[in-house]
Amino acid sequence: MAEPDAEDRKPRSDQARSTFAPVGRGGEDDPSSTSGFSLPEGLRTPPPTVTDSTTTSEFAVPVGLDVPHATGAEPETTSEFALPKGMETPQPLAEPEGSAFSRPSTYTSGQAPPAFTPPSGIPAVRLTKEAPWQDRMRTMLRMPVTERPAPEPVHKDDESGPAVPRVLDLTLRIGELLLAGGEGAEDVEAAMFAVCRSYGLDRCEPTATFTLLSITYQPSLVDDPVTASRTVRRRGTDYTRLAAVFRLVDDLSDPETAVSLEEAYRRLAEIRRNRHPYPGWALTGASGLLAGAASVLVGGDAIVFIAAALGAMLGDRLAWLCAGRGLPEFYQFTVAAMPPAAIGVALTVAQVDVKASAVITGGLFALLPGRALVAGVQDGLTGFYITAAARLLEVMYFFVGIVIGVLVILYFGVKLGAQLNPDAALNLSQRPVVQIGASMLLSLTFAVLLQQERSTVLWVTLNGGVAWTVYGAMHYPGGLSPVASTAVAAGLVGLFGQLLSRYRFASALPYTTAAIGPLLPGSATYFGLLSIAQNNLDKGLVSLAKAASLAMAIAIGVNLGSEISRLFLRVGSARGRRAAKRTRGF
C-alpha cells in the first residue's frame, strides 16, 4: 500500500484552515482571521479607541447613537438619523429618583421645561369671600382634588376637630332636605361640599342622585377613604324649609362665623320640626284662586272664574283624601284632574253660555308639575343625566295621570252630547290689563302652594307679571311663535330670580318656580286631550307636542337666564366656573 503524501499527513484542522483561508496578501503565513464566517479584510470595522472596557450588554446604545450629556464636550454625531448640529433639543438634567409623594422639584428660567397650554386655555379662578357660597363651592367641585385651595383655618375650642363620621352624617342630612325640597343636584352637591369644607374636610367627593346621597372623604392618598350614604324616600314642597337650610349652609361656610357641630345639629332639628307657614285650608283656597286666575288668563269671565276655582278646590280635597289613604301620587293627580273637567262638561251639557274649555284649562294649571320639570331639565343641562332622567320620568308619570283623569271625563262628556270645541283656542281675547292682573294672582297663589316665605311672595308676584307682559308683547303684537315668546319670558324669569337670590344669598327656586306659572302650557294640554277624546288623534298629538315644546322652552329659558347672570353680571359671582368639556359624541 502506498505511503500517504506529506500533504495528506497534515491534520484535518490544518486542511480546513488552508481550504477556507482567504486568498490575499500574506499567503499562508498571514496571521489573519482564518474562520470561514469572518469578514473580508477590506470590510473590517476599526476597533474602538476608548480606553474603558467594552460594553457587552444587549441593552447598550450602539456606537454612533450615544445621547450627548447635559454637561461636558459633545461627541461627534455619526448617525444618519441625528439632527443637524445646532438643532439638537437640550436634554434636561438628570433628576434623582424619588417617591410619588415627594414635593415637586424647582427649576430656573433657563432650565424650564417646555410650556404647555391646554386647547381650552387656563381659566382664571377667583374665589373671593364676597362671592356666594353656591358659586364658590360649585367652582371648587369642578376642580381636581389636587388643585382645590386649602380651607381656611376655623377657630375651634377643640383643636382636634369633630369626628369625621358625624360631619358626614350632618352633611347627608342637609343634602337630604335640599334634594327632597326640589333643589337641583348640582346645588345639592355644592351645599354638601360647603358643609364638609367648613369643618376642614376638603378632600371629599359628594354625589347626589334622585333617591341616593353619598359622600366620600379621604384624608390623604395613603389613608383609607370613609364613605357614607343616605336614601331620600319622601319629598315635600316647602320652600320656607329650603330657605332655612340655605341660611344654615351660609353660616357654616362663612369663615368669620364659627358654628360648632352641636349647634349645627340643633339648628337642623329646629328646621325639621318647624311647621309649614300656611295651613291646609289656605292651600286649598290658593289652589282654587290659581285655577280661577288661569281661566281668566285664557279668556274666561267671572262665572268661569268661580267654576274653575270650585273644581280645583274639590280636586285638591280629593287628592288629600287619597294621600291619607296611602295611594301613590299618580292616582292623586288622576283624581285631582277629574272635578274641573267634570264641571266644564256639566256646564256644556246644561247649555250654559260659558267657555267650558277655560274652566278645564284653569283646573289643569294647578296640577301641571312645573317645579319638577324645571329641576329635571336643569339637572340635564348641568350634566347630571341620571337625576335628570329620573325627574323627567316622574314628570311624565304625573302628566299621564292628569291625561287619564281628563280623558275619562271628556269621553263620557262626548258620549252625553257635550259640544266641546277644540278650535276655541284660536279665539283668545286680548285683555292686557286683566291678563297681567290674573298672571300676578296666579304667581302669588302658586307661591303659597309652594310654602314660600312671606317675604318672597311679593317679589315672585312681580316677577310673574313681568313674565306674562314679555310673553304677551312678543306673541300678540309682535307675532312671534308661542315657543320663542315663552323661552324669552322664562329667560327673564331665571335672570331676575338669580339676581334676587344673589341679593339675599338664598336659593333661586322660590323666585323662579312660581313666576313661571302663567307660562305653563295648560290650554295646549287640554285641547290636545280633547282632540284625542273626539277621535282626532293627529290633531291631538300635534297639540300635545306643542305643550311639550312649551314646557321645554320654559325649563331651558329659566336655566339659560340663570347661567347668563353668572356669566356676565358681576354681582358677587365667582368667575371661572368650570363646566364639563364637550365630548363631540365620543
Side-chain angles (χ1 to χ4, degrees), residues 183-207:
E183 192 65 64
E186 187 179 31
D187 293 326
V188 173
E189 288 190 0
M192 294 172 65
F193 183 72
V195 175
C196 284
R197 189 177 173 83
S198 64
Y199 290 104
L201 308 184
D202 58 322
R203 299 181 62 88
C204 63
E205 291 295 337
T207 303

Side-chain angles (χ1 to χ4, degrees), residues 343-415:
I343 291 178
V345 170
L347 291 176
T348 303
V349 172
Q351 297 182 354
V352 179
D353 189 15
V354 295
K355 289 186 176 181
S357 59
V359 175
I360 302 175
T361 300
L364 292 179
F365 263 88
L367 300 175
L368 293 178
R371 174 184 59 86
L373 174 67
V374 172
V377 174
Q378 179 182 358
D379 288 340
L381 294 176
T382 52
F384 294 84
Y385 300 113
I386 297 178
T387 308
R391 281 182 166 169
L392 292 178
L393 185 62
E394 180 188 38
V395 171
M396 187 193 72
Y397 271 101
F398 291 164
F399 190 77
V400 169
I402 296 172
V403 167
I404 293 175
V406 175
L407 274 180
V408 169
I409 300 300
L410 291 181
Y411 178 79
F412 284 106
V414 171
K415 293 298 181 180

Side-chain angles (χ1 to χ4, degrees), residues 20-347:
F20 296 99
V23 179
R25 292 180 300 174
E28 296 180 1
D29 298 331
D30 191 0
S32 59
S33 239
T34 58
S35 172
F37 302 97
S38 61
L39 293 173
E41 183 181 357
L43 297 179
R44 294 176 185 170
T45 57
T49 58
V50 294
T51 59
D52 54 348
S53 60
T54 306
T55 305
T56 59
S57 172
E58 61 269 23
F59 300 104
V61 181
V63 178
L65 294 179
D66 294 335
V67 182
H69 299 285
T71 58
E74 294 184 9
E76 185 176 354
T77 305
T78 58
S79 172
E80 61 269 27
F81 301 102
L83 294 173
K85 189 174 183 179
M87 298 183 63
E88 296 88 11
T89 303
Q91 300 294 328
L93 293 173
E95 296 184 358
E97 211 174 309
S99 171
F101 304 102
S102 60
R103 296 174 61 86
S105 59
T106 58
Y107 52 83
T108 62
S109 59
Q111 299 174 348
F116 173 75
T117 303
S120 58
I122 301 176
V125 180
R126 293 174 61 252
L127 301 176
T128 59
K129 293 182 180 180
E130 293 78 13
W133 64 266
Q134 300 99 309
D135 289 341
R136 288 188 283 116
M137 297 303 114
R138 189 183 293 111
T139 301
M140 283 187 285
L141 267 180
R142 296 192 174 188
M143 289 182 181
V145 178
T146 56
E147 297 181 10
R148 294 174 184 170
E152 299 180 4
V154 181
H155 300 286
K156 296 189 260 318
D157 297 334
D158 187 7
E159 294 297 333
S160 62
V164 172
R166 295 201 66 198
V167 175
L168 298 184
D169 178 71
L170 175 67
T171 302
L172 290 174
R173 291 178 183 274
I174 290 177
E176 179 189 9
L177 287 180
L178 292 176
L179 189 62
E183 192 65 64
E186 187 179 31
D187 293 326
V188 173
E189 288 190 0
M192 294 172 65
F193 183 72
V195 175
C196 284
R197 189 177 173 83
S198 64
Y199 290 104
L201 308 184
D202 58 322
R203 299 181 62 88
C204 63
E205 291 295 337
T207 303
T209 58
F210 187 60
T211 58
L212 181 65
L213 292 171
S214 64
I215 187 166
T216 301
Y217 171 68
Q218 188 174 14
S220 65
L221 294 176
V222 296
D223 293 329
D224 295 332
V226 180
T227 303
S229 61
R230 192 174 182 87
T231 303
V232 182
R233 302 189 182 276
R234 296 189 61 184
R235 291 177 177 82
T237 305
D238 190 344
Y239 282 180
T240 301
R241 179 179 297 174
L242 190 70
V245 176
F246 262 74
R247 283 193 293 269
L248 173 59
V249 178
D250 189 21
D251 292 339
L252 290 174
S253 59
D254 188 3
E256 299 178 358
T257 304
V259 180
S260 64
L261 191 64
E262 300 301 329
E263 176 68 16
Y265 266 109
R266 185 190 63 79
R267 292 180 57 178
L268 187 63
E270 289 181 355
I271 293 173
R272 287 180 173 274
R273 286 196 301 263
N274 284 343
R275 293 183 175 272
H276 299 304
Y278 307 102
W281 62 266
L283 298 180
T284 302
S287 178
L289 291 177
L290 189 152
S295 64
V296 174
L297 203 62
V298 295
D301 51 12
I303 299 178
V304 171
F305 181 93
I306 296 174
L310 290 176
M313 287 189 291
L314 182 59
D316 181 76
R317 287 292 92 190
L318 289 177
W320 277 102
L321 181 62
C322 294
R325 296 295 184 270
L327 288 179
E329 286 184 294
F330 176 83
Y331 301 105
Q332 297 176 26
F333 274 85
T334 302
V335 171
M338 289 182 176
I343 291 178
V345 170
L347 291 176

